[in-house]
Amino acid sequence: MLRTLLLALALTLAPALAPAQAPAPPADTAHAAAAGLPAPNPPPVAASAAAPSPADTGAVPVPPASEKALRYERSGNVLWVIGTLWSLLIPALILFTGLSARIRDLSRRPGRKWYFTLAIYGALITLLLFVVNLPLAFYEEFVREHAYGLSNQTFAKWATDALTNLVIGIVGVALVMWVPYLLLRKSPRRWWLWTALAGIPLIVVTVWLQPLLIEPMFNRFGPMHDRALEQRILAEAERAGIEGGRVYEVNKSVDTKAVNAYVTGFGGSKRIVLWDTILRKLDARELLFVMGHEMGHYVLKHIAILLSMFVALLLACLWLVHASSGWLIRRHGRRFGFDRLDDIASYPLLALIVGVVGFAITPIPLAVSRHLEHEADRFGLELTRDNHAAATAFAKLQEENLATPYHGTLYKLWHDNHPPLGERIEFCNTYKPWAHGQPLRYGGHFKDPAPAR
Ligand SMILES: [Zn+2]
């Protein structure tokens, strides 16, 4: 979900910050390797929610991190540092070498009219960034995932997805980049405020279109194959207070061995999506908890909360661009090859400032996301009251997904959009207000407070 919003933000403002990549896993669960997984449990015969048997209601121990998971995390950290520096270095180079001004001049010849110059510049710079980012993207998304046994993707599928992303990027830039530049011309003092306000409908439309138009370009979405399980999930959704909820299954097994489920869309396009991989790896009780977690996002309007936060952060970012760009242009304008921010050649300058500010404030959206994920866990537990299945679902995820159970403070601040799995397992082991006669935090949302036993 957070990634969807980041994509929307990136499309709206700074394609430079969104190097070629397939729509990232909406990161609700995490990567899980297929190797060594037990066969999925057979579906229970009874259609009612399976009551935990006395044998499997005890606390679930947090699995220790495997050697391979530690290696995956360490190499991922190195890659993250390289990727972060790279994403700042590239716009800086395009800016300080005067390349951006040369691309602007090139775009003026066929472009002539203001909008066409802008769209051609946008297409050229998107193409340039795509090419420059390609080796790192290929290594990170394809080579490395295969090396760790996390990927099922063929090279053809990876390449097709990358090119699809490039086309989406070029079209997206042509559709939205004129907005800040028009506002910069019309209102040099308040453009940052108007742009952030204009960003609201743009981000909402992007999030709305994500499941309808963008995601189907990469994978096939359809109704669940297991109709009996679908019925149980829909019954659970009704209990959670979701009227006419929609559940989709997507063929992510062509891309990855990772398992995931997520809520996506906005308004009429809102839905819960299950990767086909998760349906094979988790048993029915674990899946019903995972769905309870997703329903928590749905019922508690987490997408709308994240959207509002992003608009606020966008406003802060744009104000900082406004406040600092004048000084930078006065000082380095000759090297940049432009002397006004409303010149389209200033685009890498915008991207650079947004990149630096974005990096500095990353801990804020991540902390909000971790909080919302924790509350979704609470919602799922209160809905299912199946602590054991919840904890085993997370333990399975961690063991099979090359995750580590606990993270250091810095890692948590700049990386974790979910609480570390060890903390989630501990919470699942201990959170049982209903067992002590205490009120449920989200019981008011439930149509029927206690699950059928
Ligand atoms: Zn979640």
Side-chain angles (χ1 to χ4, degrees):
M1 184 161 56
L2 195 65
R3 298 300 292 258
T4 307
L5 288 164
L6 280 170
L7 181 78
L9 189 67
L11 268 178
T12 311
L13 190 81
L17 302 174
Q21 53 173 272
D28 227 24
T29 44
H31 293 293
L37 260 165
N41 292 5
V45 184
S48 66
S53 71
D56 52 17
T57 50
V60 176
V62 175
S66 71
E67 189 51 45
K68 197 177 175 191
L70 286 170
R71 264 193 294 130
Y72 188 63
E73 184 175 295
R74 280 189 215 117
S75 60
N77 283 344
V78 174
L79 213 53
W80 177 73
V81 171
I82 294 171
T84 304
L85 292 175
W86 188 252
S87 71
L88 298 176
L89 179 72
I90 295 305
L93 278 176
I94 296 174
L95 186 65
F96 279 93
T97 56
L99 182 59
S100 180
R102 286 209 291 282
I103 297 175
R104 172 204 58 202
D105 295 342
L106 201 68
S107 311
R108 267 186 191 152
R109 269 173 245 161
R112 303 253 170 85
K113 292 227 164 65
W114 176 79
Y115 173 76
F116 292 108
T117 302
L118 206 119
I120 293 169
Y121 174 94
L124 289 175
I125 202 116
T126 306
L127 188 64
L128 174 68
L129 291 169
F130 174 81
V131 171
V132 168
N133 289 325
L134 204 57
L136 195 61
F138 177 64
Y139 174 73
E140 192 169 359
E141 296 162 13
F142 191 80
V143 178
R144 182 168 184 260
E145 292 298 287
H146 277 283
Y148 279 92
L150 290 170
S151 180
N152 287 328
Q153 210 171 33
T154 62
F155 176 74
K157 176 71 160 65
W158 177 84
T160 313
D161 283 2
L163 287 173
T164 308
N165 265 308
L166 174 65
V167 173
I168 293 173
I170 290 174
V171 173
V173 162
L175 288 176
V176 302
M177 202 147 94
W178 60 273
V179 176
Y181 281 96
L182 181 71
L183 292 167
L184 266 163
R185 278 187 159 192
K186 301 280 177 203
S187 176
R189 284 162 178 271
R190 291 276 178 272
W191 69 273
W192 51 275
L193 178 63
W194 308 132
T195 302
L197 291 176
I200 298 173
L202 282 176
I203 294 172
V204 168
V205 167
T206 308
V207 175
W208 176 69
L209 277 179
Q210 186 79 10
L212 300 180
L213 183 70
I214 300 172
E215 286 172 357
M217 290 184 195
F218 298 92
N219 290 96
R220 275 203 322 275
F221 290 78
M224 283 183 66
H225 287 107
D226 184 343
R227 304 315 286 244
L229 182 61
E230 185 185 39
Q231 282 312 309
R232 293 177 67 182
I233 291 172
L234 291 176
E236 184 185 13
E238 209 188 314
R239 260 196 64 229
I242 298 173
E243 297 287 336
R246 275 163 300 183
V247 181
Y248 286 79
E249 183 174 332
V250 55
N251 68 333
K252 279 301 274 193
S253 54
V254 299
D255 295 324
T256 181
K257 294 174 182 168
V259 305
N260 204 354
Y262 62 98
V263 178
T264 182
F266 196 79
S269 77
K270 203 161 139 184
R271 66 202 52 203
I272 293 174
V273 178
L274 282 162
W275 289 9
D276 55 355
T277 47
I278 200 170
L279 290 161
R280 294 175 200 162
K281 310 264 177 77
L282 299 193
D283 69 29
R285 276 174 49 199
E286 290 163 343
L287 276 170
L288 286 174
F289 165 75
V290 169
M291 295 312 283
H293 167 103
E294 301 305 333
M295 289 168 197
H297 286 312
Y298 200 108
V299 171
L300 304 174
K301 300 192 164 49
H302 286 172
I303 291 187
I305 293 173
L306 285 175
L307 273 174
S308 322
M309 176 189 67
F310 270 91
V311 171
L313 294 177
L314 180 64
L315 188 69
C317 271
L318 291 177
W319 181 80
L320 279 162
V321 171
H322 176 69
S324 60
S325 57
W327 176 80
L328 282 165
I329 291 175
R330 274 196 302 281
R331 204 179 145 95
H332 300 291
R334 296 190 71 167
R335 293 179 72 177
F336 294 169
F338 58 87
D339 54 12
R340 297 165 59 97
L341 194 60
D342 65 8
D343 187 323
I344 182 65
S346 73
Y347 175 71
L349 178 64
L350 260 76
L352 190 61
I353 300 174
V354 170
V356 171
V357 176
F359 176 79
I361 63 175
T362 291
I364 301 173
L366 287 185
V368 172
S369 174
R370 283 195 303 275
H371 171 72
L372 297 182
E373 294 299 338
H374 181 63
E375 292 309 304
D377 283 350
R378 188 195 307 278
F379 188 98
L381 286 170
E382 291 189 350
L383 187 66
T384 61
R385 302 190 185 182
D386 197 350
N387 299 64
H388 189 83
T392 54
F394 288 139
K396 258 189 198 176
L397 270 174
Q398 187 208 302
E399 274 186 348
E400 306 304 332
N401 76 1
L402 294 189
T404 52
Y406 300 103
H407 300 152
T409 309
L410 265 184
Y411 188 96
K412 214 168 154 177
L413 283 175
W414 261 274
H415 261 280
D416 282 340
N417 51 14
H418 286 64
L421 284 163
E423 292 178 17
R424 296 178 86 179
I425 293 170
E426 286 170 17
F427 182 65
C428 291
N429 281 335
T430 53
Y431 184 71
K432 300 173 189 179
W434 55 89
H436 313 292
Q438 288 161 359
L440 303 182
R441 185 172 296 180
Y442 300 120
H445 292 280
F446 302 158
K447 216 168 155 190
D448 185 4
R453 286 283 183 233

